[in-house]
Amino acid sequence: MGKFSYYYNKDVIFVSTKTQTALHNYKTLKRRIVIDGFLVGLGAGFFSVLYRLMLSELDGIRKMLFSTYSTEHILFLIVAFTLFACIVGLLIRWCPLSSGSGIPQIQGELLGILKMNPISVLISKFIGGGLGNLAGLSLGREGPSIQIGGAVGKLLSKLLKRDINEERFMISAGASAGLAAAFNAPISGTIFALEEMHKNFSPLILIPCLVASVVADYVSKNVFGLQSSFYFISIPKSLPLFHYWHIVGIGVFSGLVGVLFNKVLLLGQDFHNILPIPKPFRPIIAFLVSITLGFACYDVLGGGHALVEKITDSTFTLTALITLLILKLLFTSLSYGSSTQGGIFLPVLVLGALSGVIYATFCQQINLLDSVYIHNFIVLGMAGILTAVVRSPILSIMLVTEMAGTFSHMLSFCLVAIISYLVAEFLNSKPIYESLLERLLANRMDTASEEEETDKVVTSLSITSNMSVCNKALREELFPKNVLIVSIKRGSKEFIPNGNTVILPGDILTILCYKSELAEVKQMTLTL
C-alpha cells in the first residue's frame, strides 16, 4: 500500500488513491451527517429505550426476589445468582469488549485502537446487563446505553457502506444518543461526545451528535414521558446568596468523595485480578454479596435511582447516611471490578446525592443551615462528585441540570463544579475513564486489524497554547511521519499550509493520517 509524503520546501503533496478517496469523502461528509445522525438517533434511541425498559421490569422482579426470607429461598438465590454470574463471565469471555460500562471501549474504538463487533456487543450488553441488574449489582444503565448506541452507529455505518471517517462520526452520534435516551438529556448527550469522547468541539462532531441525541430523546420521551429523570427532586427554596459559602464546603467534600471513588473503583479491579480463580467465575463474588446486602440493606442494590428518591422524600440520621455512602461506594467498586456489564454514572450521581445530604444534615445539626435548603445539596453533590470523577465540568453541570429539570441553579452548579475540579486536580486524581482506558489497553483485546490500521482517517485538532506544536512551523516535523495537514482554519478563513506555516493558538487543523496513528495525534490534545 502506497504511502504519501509532504515536501514542505516544494509545497507539493503526493498522495495515494486511497488518500484521495478519503479526502473526497471528507469533503462531501457535511451533506450526509445530518441524515446519518437522524438514522443513528432512531436506532440507538430504540435499543437504549428497550434496554432501559428491560432494566425497569427487572427492578420489580428483583424486589420480589428479596421480599421472601427463608432458608429455602436463600439457597434458591445462591444457586440462581451463581448461575447468572457464570453466564455473565462466559459472555465477557465471548465478547471481551462488552465488559464494564463500555465507555472506555468506545473511546478506544474512536482512537482506532480497538475493534468491537457491534452485534456481539449488543447481545452481551442486554443479557449480561440484565442479569447484573436482576441480581442487584450497583451498576448504572448509562454506560451500556452509550456502548449500545455506539454499536448501533457502527452497525448502521456497515450497512450503509460508509467509510472509516463517517463510521467514527456515526459511532460518536450513537454514543451521544445512548446517553440522551438513558437520562432524557439530549444536550448532555451531545456534550458528552464533544468534551469527554473527542475533547474537541468540531462542528462535524457536533451536528450528527446533536441530531442523534435529540431524536433519541424524542423516542425516549414517547415511552417514559416528558418528565426529567430526577423529576421527584423538588427544591422548595433556592439557596440564597448569603449561604453560598456552603458551596465551597460541598465542593470540597464532593470532590474528596469523587477522588476516593476513583481510587476505590480501581482497587476493585485489582482485587478481582489477583483472585486465584478463572476469569469467567470471578463475577460470582459480587453476585453472592448482593444476596447479603439485599436482605441487610436493600437500598444499596441496583443503580440507585430509587435510593435518590428515598433520601429526597424521607429523613435519615447522619449515621444512616454515612453507612449508605460507604456501602454504596464499596459495592459499586466490587460490582464494577467483576467486569459485569454496567456503568458507573448513576452510582456516582447517587454517591453525590448522599454526599450532599450528609453535608447539609451535618450543617443543620450544628445550626449552620436551615432544613428547607437540604434538597439544594442533593443536586449540588451530584454536580460536584461527577466533575471530580470524570473531569468534564460542562458535562457534569448540564447533566445534573437536565436530570433535575431546573436551570435556576446554574450558578451554584458551576461554582461547585469548579471547586470539586480543583480538589481533584490538586490531589492528582486522573479522570476515571482515562484510567480505565489505560488498563483496558494494557490487556488489549479485539484490536483493529492490520488492514484497518492502515485505513486513512481524517480528523480535526483544535490548537491551544499549552500544546507542544503551538507557535512552531510545520517544517519542524511536529507530527508523526505519515500525518498530513490538509488545511488550517484560522478565524473565518481556511487555507492550505506549507512548511513555513506557523501553528497558532485557536487554529483548527484538518489532519489525515493512518488509523493506527490516530491515538498519537489525539493525545496531542492532552499535552500540558
PDB file of all heavy atoms in Angstrom, residues 441-471:
ATOM      1  N   LEU A 441      -6.271  -1.041  27.581  1.00  0.00           N
ATOM      2  CA  LEU A 441      -5.270  -1.162  26.529  1.00  0.00           C
ATOM      3  C   LEU A 441      -4.056  -1.969  26.978  1.00  0.00           C
ATOM      4  O   LEU A 441      -3.333  -2.512  26.153  1.00  0.00           O
ATOM      5  CB  LEU A 441      -4.830   0.220  26.058  1.00  0.00           C
ATOM      6  CG  LEU A 441      -5.916   1.091  25.413  1.00  0.00           C
ATOM      7  CD1 LEU A 441      -5.341   2.412  24.951  1.00  0.00           C
ATOM      8  CD2 LEU A 441      -6.567   0.357  24.256  1.00  0.00           C
ATOM      9  N   ALA A 442      -3.839  -2.010  28.300  1.00  0.00           N
ATOM     10  CA  ALA A 442      -2.727  -2.807  28.808  1.00  0.00           C
ATOM     11  C   ALA A 442      -2.942  -4.299  28.541  1.00  0.00           C
ATOM     12  O   ALA A 442      -1.998  -5.068  28.458  1.00  0.00           O
ATOM     13  CB  ALA A 442      -2.546  -2.570  30.305  1.00  0.00           C
ATOM     14  N   ASN A 443      -4.221  -4.677  28.420  1.00  0.00           N
ATOM     15  CA  ASN A 443      -4.571  -6.059  28.058  1.00  0.00           C
ATOM     16  C   ASN A 443      -5.404  -6.023  26.785  1.00  0.00           C
ATOM     17  O   ASN A 443      -6.558  -6.425  26.769  1.00  0.00           O
ATOM     18  CB  ASN A 443      -5.373  -6.720  29.186  1.00  0.00           C
ATOM     19  CG  ASN A 443      -4.607  -6.727  30.483  1.00  0.00           C
ATOM     20  OD1 ASN A 443      -3.576  -7.367  30.600  1.00  0.00           O
ATOM     21  ND2 ASN A 443      -5.109  -6.007  31.475  1.00  0.00           N
ATOM     22  N   ARG A 444      -4.810  -5.475  25.729  1.00  0.00           N
ATOM     23  CA  ARG A 444      -5.565  -5.218  24.506  1.00  0.00           C
ATOM     24  C   ARG A 444      -6.167  -6.488  23.929  1.00  0.00           C
ATOM     25  O   ARG A 444      -5.488  -7.476  23.722  1.00  0.00           O
ATOM     26  CB  ARG A 444      -4.668  -4.557  23.452  1.00  0.00           C
ATOM     27  CG  ARG A 444      -4.359  -3.115  23.744  1.00  0.00           C
ATOM     28  CD  ARG A 444      -3.412  -2.512  22.741  1.00  0.00           C
ATOM     29  NE  ARG A 444      -3.957  -2.544  21.395  1.00  0.00           N
ATOM     30  CZ  ARG A 444      -3.367  -1.956  20.361  1.00  0.00           C
ATOM     31  NH1 ARG A 444      -2.240  -1.290  20.532  1.00  0.00           N
ATOM     32  NH2 ARG A 444      -3.893  -2.012  19.169  1.00  0.00           N
ATOM     33  N   MET A 445      -7.473  -6.391  23.663  1.00  0.00           N
ATOM     34  CA  MET A 445      -8.203  -7.486  23.025  1.00  0.00           C
ATOM     35  C   MET A 445      -9.014  -6.893  21.884  1.00  0.00           C
ATOM     36  O   MET A 445      -9.390  -5.726  21.914  1.00  0.00           O
ATOM     37  CB  MET A 445      -9.159  -8.170  24.016  1.00  0.00           C
ATOM     38  CG  MET A 445      -8.461  -8.750  25.235  1.00  0.00           C
ATOM     39  SD  MET A 445      -9.666  -9.445  26.368  1.00  0.00           S
ATOM     40  CE  MET A 445      -8.622  -9.846  27.747  1.00  0.00           C
ATOM     41  N   ASP A 446      -9.316  -7.705  20.898  1.00  0.00           N
ATOM     42  CA  ASP A 446     -10.119  -7.260  19.771  1.00  0.00           C
ATOM     43  C   ASP A 446      -9.564  -5.978  19.175  1.00  0.00           C
ATOM     44  O   ASP A 446     -10.283  -5.018  18.943  1.00  0.00           O
ATOM     45  CB  ASP A 446     -11.574  -7.014  20.214  1.00  0.00           C
ATOM     46  CG  ASP A 446     -12.251  -8.311  20.608  1.00  0.00           C
ATOM     47  OD1 ASP A 446     -11.545  -9.244  20.991  1.00  0.00           O
ATOM     48  OD2 ASP A 446     -13.478  -8.368  20.515  1.00  0.00           O
ATOM     49  N   THR A 447      -8.252  -5.930  18.967  1.00  0.00           N
ATOM     50  CA  THR A 447      -7.642  -4.749  18.386  1.00  0.00           C
ATOM     51  C   THR A 447      -7.937  -4.681  16.906  1.00  0.00           C
ATOM     52  O   THR A 447      -8.317  -5.656  16.273  1.00  0.00           O
ATOM     53  CB  THR A 447      -6.122  -4.763  18.596  1.00  0.00           C
ATOM     54  OG1 THR A 447      -5.607  -5.981  18.055  1.00  0.00           O
ATOM     55  CG2 THR A 447      -5.778  -4.682  20.061  1.00  0.00           C
ATOM     56  N   ALA A 448      -7.757  -3.498  16.353  1.00  0.00           N
ATOM     57  CA  ALA A 448      -8.013  -3.317  14.933  1.00  0.00           C
ATOM     58  C   ALA A 448      -7.039  -4.149  14.123  1.00  0.00           C
ATOM     59  O   ALA A 448      -5.874  -4.332  14.501  1.00  0.00           O
ATOM     60  CB  ALA A 448      -7.883  -1.839  14.569  1.00  0.00           C
ATOM     61  N   SER A 449      -7.499  -4.680  13.003  1.00  0.00           N
ATOM     62  CA  SER A 449      -6.650  -5.497  12.148  1.00  0.00           C
ATOM     63  C   SER A 449      -5.620  -4.631  11.452  1.00  0.00           C
ATOM     64  O   SER A 449      -5.733  -3.398  11.405  1.00  0.00           O
ATOM     65  CB  SER A 449      -7.501  -6.218  11.109  1.00  0.00           C
ATOM     66  OG  SER A 449      -8.107  -5.284  10.228  1.00  0.00           O
ATOM     67  N   GLU A 450      -4.591  -5.276  10.894  1.00  0.00           N
ATOM     68  CA  GLU A 450      -3.535  -4.529  10.205  1.00  0.00           C
ATOM     69  C   GLU A 450      -4.098  -3.726   9.044  1.00  0.00           C
ATOM     70  O   GLU A 450      -3.704  -2.582   8.812  1.00  0.00           O
ATOM     71  CB  GLU A 450      -2.465  -5.504   9.713  1.00  0.00           C
ATOM     72  CG  GLU A 450      -1.280  -4.816   9.040  1.00  0.00           C
ATOM     73  CD  GLU A 450      -0.220  -5.818   8.634  1.00  0.00           C
ATOM     74  OE1 GLU A 450      -0.303  -6.977   9.061  1.00  0.00           O
ATOM     75  OE2 GLU A 450       0.689  -5.417   7.875  1.00  0.00           O
ATOM     76  N   GLU A 451      -5.066  -4.303   8.337  1.00  0.00           N
ATOM     77  CA  GLU A 451      -5.658  -3.592   7.203  1.00  0.00           C
ATOM     78  C   GLU A 451      -6.406  -2.355   7.675  1.00  0.00           C
ATOM     79  O   GLU A 451      -6.311  -1.274   7.091  1.00  0.00           O
ATOM     80  CB  GLU A 451      -6.616  -4.509   6.442  1.00  0.00           C
ATOM     81  CG  GLU A 451      -7.266  -3.829   5.240  1.00  0.00           C
ATOM     82  CD  GLU A 451      -8.204  -4.762   4.504  1.00  0.00           C
ATOM     83  OE1 GLU A 451      -8.269  -5.951   4.867  1.00  0.00           O
ATOM     84  OE2 GLU A 451      -8.863  -4.286   3.565  1.00  0.00           O
ATOM     85  N   GLU A 452      -7.142  -2.499   8.788  1.00  0.00           N
ATOM     86  CA  GLU A 452      -7.895  -1.359   9.310  1.00  0.00           C
ATOM     87  C   GLU A 452      -6.961  -0.286   9.843  1.00  0.00           C
ATOM     88  O   GLU A 452      -7.240   0.897   9.745  1.00  0.00           O
ATOM     89  CB  GLU A 452      -8.842  -1.820  10.407  1.00  0.00           C
ATOM     90  CG  GLU A 452     -10.033  -2.597   9.879  1.00  0.00           C
ATOM     91  CD  GLU A 452     -10.915  -3.072  10.998  1.00  0.00           C
ATOM     92  OE1 GLU A 452     -10.364  -3.588  11.997  1.00  0.00           O
ATOM     93  OE2 GLU A 452     -12.135  -2.931  10.897  1.00  0.00           O
ATOM     94  N   GLU A 453      -5.828  -0.700  10.431  1.00  0.00           N
ATOM     95  CA  GLU A 453      -4.903   0.282  10.989  1.00  0.00           C
ATOM     96  C   GLU A 453      -4.273   1.143   9.895  1.00  0.00           C
ATOM     97  O   GLU A 453      -3.821   2.247  10.149  1.00  0.00           O
ATOM     98  CB  GLU A 453      -3.821  -0.432  11.804  1.00  0.00           C
ATOM     99  CG  GLU A 453      -4.349  -0.984  13.125  1.00  0.00           C
ATOM    100  CD  GLU A 453      -3.244  -1.562  13.976  1.00  0.00           C
ATOM    101  OE1 GLU A 453      -2.123  -1.735  13.442  1.00  0.00           O
ATOM    102  OE2 GLU A 453      -3.488  -1.826  15.155  1.00  0.00           O
ATOM    103  N   THR A 454      -4.198   0.637   8.666  1.00  0.00           N
ATOM    104  CA  THR A 454      -3.625   1.417   7.577  1.00  0.00           C
ATOM    105  C   THR A 454      -4.706   2.151   6.784  1.00  0.00           C
ATOM    106  O   THR A 454      -4.399   2.773   5.775  1.00  0.00           O
ATOM    107  CB  THR A 454      -2.813   0.512   6.628  1.00  0.00           C
ATOM    108  OG1 THR A 454      -3.647  -0.543   6.158  1.00  0.00           O
ATOM    109  CG2 THR A 454      -1.610  -0.057   7.355  1.00  0.00           C
ATOM    110  N   ASP A 455      -5.960   2.075   7.223  1.00  0.00           N
ATOM    111  CA  ASP A 455      -7.003   2.886   6.621  1.00  0.00           C
ATOM    112  C   ASP A 455      -6.709   4.352   6.912  1.00  0.00           C
ATOM    113  O   ASP A 455      -6.196   4.710   7.987  1.00  0.00           O
ATOM    114  CB  ASP A 455      -8.370   2.517   7.197  1.00  0.00           C
ATOM    115  CG  ASP A 455      -8.938   1.259   6.567  1.00  0.00           C
ATOM    116  OD1 ASP A 455      -8.434   0.888   5.485  1.00  0.00           O
ATOM    117  OD2 ASP A 455      -9.856   0.662   7.148  1.00  0.00           O
ATOM    118  N   LYS A 456      -7.060   5.201   5.969  1.00  0.00           N
ATOM    119  CA  LYS A 456      -6.847   6.642   6.144  1.00  0.00           C
ATOM    120  C   LYS A 456      -8.056   7.246   6.850  1.00  0.00           C
ATOM    121  O   LYS A 456      -9.200   6.994   6.472  1.00  0.00           O
ATOM    122  CB  LYS A 456      -6.644   7.310   4.790  1.00  0.00           C
ATOM    123  CG  LYS A 456      -5.497   6.742   3.962  1.00  0.00           C
ATOM    124  CD  LYS A 456      -4.175   7.136   4.545  1.00  0.00           C
ATOM    125  CE  LYS A 456      -2.995   6.636   3.735  1.00  0.00           C
ATOM    126  NZ  LYS A 456      -3.167   6.297   2.353  1.00  0.00           N
ATOM    127  N   VAL A 457      -7.796   8.046   7.863  1.00  0.00           N
ATOM    128  CA  VAL A 457      -8.870   8.755   8.554  1.00  0.00           C
ATOM    129  C   VAL A 457      -8.565  10.238   8.541  1.00  0.00           C
ATOM    130  O   VAL A 457      -7.405  10.660   8.543  1.00  0.00           O
ATOM    131  CB  VAL A 457      -9.039   8.270  10.012  1.00  0.00           C
ATOM    132  CG1 VAL A 457      -9.475   6.829  10.051  1.00  0.00           C
ATOM    133  CG2 VAL A 457      -7.757   8.452  10.806  1.00  0.00           C
ATOM    134  N   VAL A 458      -9.631  11.030   8.518  1.00  0.00           N
ATOM    135  CA  VAL A 458      -9.498  12.486   8.556  1.00  0.00           C
ATOM    136  C   VAL A 458     -10.107  12.957   9.861  1.00  0.00           C
ATOM    137  O   VAL A 458     -11.232  12.578  10.217  1.00  0.00           O
ATOM    138  CB  VAL A 458     -10.220  13.155   7.367  1.00  0.00           C
ATOM    139  CG1 VAL A 458     -10.008  14.662   7.403  1.00  0.00           C
ATOM    140  CG2 VAL A 458      -9.710  12.581   6.054  1.00  0.00           C
ATOM    141  N   THR A 459      -9.380  13.762  10.596  1.00  0.00           N
ATOM    142  CA  THR A 459      -9.861  14.270  11.865  1.00  0.00           C
ATOM    143  C   THR A 459      -9.469  15.729  12.005  1.00  0.00           C
ATOM    144  O   THR A 459      -8.717  16.269  11.184  1.00  0.00           O
ATOM    145  CB  THR A 459      -9.291  13.446  13.036  1.00  0.00           C
ATOM    146  OG1 THR A 459      -9.916  13.849  14.251  1.00  0.00           O
ATOM    147  CG2 THR A 459      -7.782  13.633  13.167  1.00  0.00           C
ATOM    148  N   SER A 460      -9.963  16.364  13.031  1.00  0.00           N
ATOM    149  CA  SER A 460      -9.620  17.768  13.276  1.00  0.00           C
ATOM    150  C   SER A 460      -8.973  17.901  14.641  1.00  0.00           C
ATOM    151  O   SER A 460      -9.246  17.117  15.553  1.00  0.00           O
ATOM    152  CB  SER A 460     -10.870  18.653  13.195  1.00  0.00           C
ATOM    153  OG  SER A 460     -11.834  18.250  14.151  1.00  0.00           O
ATOM    154  N   LEU A 461      -8.115  18.882  14.773  1.00  0.00           N
ATOM    155  CA  LEU A 461      -7.380  19.115  16.014  1.00  0.00           C
ATOM    156  C   LEU A 461      -7.416  20.604  16.337  1.00  0.00           C
ATOM    157  O   LEU A 461      -6.953  21.426  15.553  1.00  0.00           O
ATOM    158  CB  LEU A 461      -5.933  18.641  15.874  1.00  0.00           C
ATOM    159  CG  LEU A 461      -5.015  18.833  17.084  1.00  0.00           C
ATOM    160  CD1 LEU A 461      -5.494  17.976  18.239  1.00  0.00           C
ATOM    161  CD2 LEU A 461      -3.580  18.466  16.727  1.00  0.00           C
ATOM    162  N   SER A 462      -8.012  20.939  17.467  1.00  0.00           N
ATOM    163  CA  SER A 462      -8.072  22.332  17.912  1.00  0.00           C
ATOM    164  C   SER A 462      -6.815  22.658  18.711  1.00  0.00           C
ATOM    165  O   SER A 462      -6.486  21.955  19.673  1.00  0.00           O
ATOM    166  CB  SER A 462      -9.323  22.579  18.763  1.00  0.00           C
ATOM    167  OG  SER A 462     -10.487  22.326  18.013  1.00  0.00           O
ATOM    168  N   ILE A 463      -6.131  23.695  18.325  1.00  0.00           N
ATOM    169  CA  ILE A 463      -4.849  24.044  18.938  1.00  0.00           C
ATOM    170  C   ILE A 463      -5.063  24.996  20.110  1.00  0.00           C
ATOM    171  O   ILE A 463      -5.761  26.006  19.999  1.00  0.00           O
ATOM    172  CB  ILE A 463      -3.909  24.692  17.897  1.00  0.00           C
ATOM    173  CG1 ILE A 463      -3.693  23.754  16.719  1.00  0.00           C
ATOM    174  CG2 ILE A 463      -2.573  25.056  18.542  1.00  0.00           C
ATOM    175  CD1 ILE A 463      -3.075  22.425  17.075  1.00  0.00           C
ATOM    176  N   THR A 464      -4.438  24.671  21.224  1.00  0.00           N
ATOM    177  CA  THR A 464      -4.431  25.555  22.383  1.00  0.00           C
ATOM    178  C   THR A 464      -2.990  25.907  22.728  1.00  0.00           C
ATOM    179  O   THR A 464      -2.044  25.233  22.301  1.00  0.00           O
ATOM    180  CB  THR A 464      -5.106  24.889  23.596  1.00  0.00           C
ATOM    181  OG1 THR A 464      -4.440  23.652  23.880  1.00  0.00           O
ATOM    182  CG2 THR A 464      -6.572  24.599  23.305  1.00  0.00           C
ATOM    183  N   SER A 465      -2.823  26.937  23.519  1.00  0.00           N
ATOM    184  CA  SER A 465      -1.481  27.461  23.789  1.00  0.00           C
ATOM    185  C   SER A 465      -0.604  26.507  24.582  1.00  0.00           C
ATOM    186  O   SER A 465       0.623  26.659  24.599  1.00  0.00           O
ATOM    187  CB  SER A 465      -1.590  28.798  24.544  1.00  0.00           C
ATOM    188  OG  SER A 465      -2.307  28.620  25.756  1.00  0.00           O
ATOM    189  N   ASN A 466      -1.192  25.503  25.241  1.00  0.00           N
ATOM    190  CA  ASN A 466      -0.392  24.579  26.052  1.00  0.00           C
ATOM    191  C   ASN A 466       0.102  23.375  25.272  1.00  0.00           C
ATOM    192  O   ASN A 466       0.756  22.494  25.825  1.00  0.00           O
ATOM    193  CB  ASN A 466      -1.213  24.101  27.263  1.00  0.00           C
ATOM    194  CG  ASN A 466      -2.469  23.354  26.865  1.00  0.00           C
ATOM    195  OD1 ASN A 466      -2.929  23.474  25.736  1.00  0.00           O
ATOM    196  ND2 ASN A 466      -3.039  22.614  27.786  1.00  0.00           N
ATOM    197  N   MET A 467      -0.178  23.308  23.973  1.00  0.00           N
ATOM    198  CA  MET A 467       0.273  22.171  23.164  1.00  0.00           C
ATOM    199  C   MET A 467       1.697  22.399  22.675  1.00  0.00           C
ATOM    200  O   MET A 467       2.105  23.520  22.394  1.00  0.00           O
ATOM    201  CB  MET A 467      -0.669  21.969  21.966  1.00  0.00           C
ATOM    202  CG  MET A 467      -2.053  21.498  22.331  1.00  0.00           C
ATOM    203  SD  MET A 467      -3.053  21.209  20.853  1.00  0.00           S
ATOM    204  CE  MET A 467      -4.593  20.685  21.592  1.00  0.00           C
ATOM    205  N   SER A 468       2.419  21.297  22.547  1.00  0.00           N
ATOM    206  CA  SER A 468       3.824  21.385  22.152  1.00  0.00           C
ATOM    207  C   SER A 468       4.002  21.886  20.717  1.00  0.00           C
ATOM    208  O   SER A 468       5.059  22.408  20.373  1.00  0.00           O
ATOM    209  CB  SER A 468       4.488  20.005  22.292  1.00  0.00           C
ATOM    210  OG  SER A 468       3.833  19.045  21.485  1.00  0.00           O
ATOM    211  N   VAL A 469       2.984  21.731  19.877  1.00  0.00           N
ATOM    212  CA  VAL A 469       3.101  22.158  18.470  1.00  0.00           C
ATOM    213  C   VAL A 469       2.773  23.631  18.282  1.00  0.00           C
ATOM    214  O   VAL A 469       2.993  24.186  17.198  1.00  0.00           O
ATOM    215  CB  VAL A 469       2.170  21.317  17.575  1.00  0.00           C
ATOM    216  CG1 VAL A 469       2.530  19.849  17.653  1.00  0.00           C
ATOM    217  CG2 VAL A 469       0.704  21.528  17.939  1.00  0.00           C
ATOM    218  N   CYS A 470       2.241  24.268  19.321  1.00  0.00           N
ATOM    219  CA  CYS A 470       1.795  25.659  19.187  1.00  0.00           C
ATOM    220  C   CYS A 470       2.987  26.599  18.978  1.00  0.00           C
ATOM    221  O   CYS A 470       4.057  26.432  19.575  1.00  0.00           O
ATOM    222  CB  CYS A 470       1.009  26.066  20.429  1.00  0.00           C
ATOM    223  SG  CYS A 470       0.197  27.656  20.277  1.00  0.00           S
ATOM    224  N   ASN A 471       2.799  27.584  18.084  1.00  0.00           N
ATOM    225  CA  ASN A 471       3.806  28.611  17.768  1.00  0.00           C
ATOM    226  C   ASN A 471       5.062  28.019  17.123  1.00  0.00           C
ATOM    227  O   ASN A 471       6.166  28.569  17.254  1.00  0.00           O
ATOM    228  CB  ASN A 471       4.189  29.413  19.023  1.00  0.00           C
ATOM    229  CG  ASN A 471       3.023  30.188  19.596  1.00  0.00           C
ATOM    230  OD1 ASN A 471       2.290  30.848  18.846  1.00  0.00           O
ATOM    231  ND2 ASN A 471       2.842  30.131  20.901  1.00  0.00           N
TER     232      ASN A 471
END
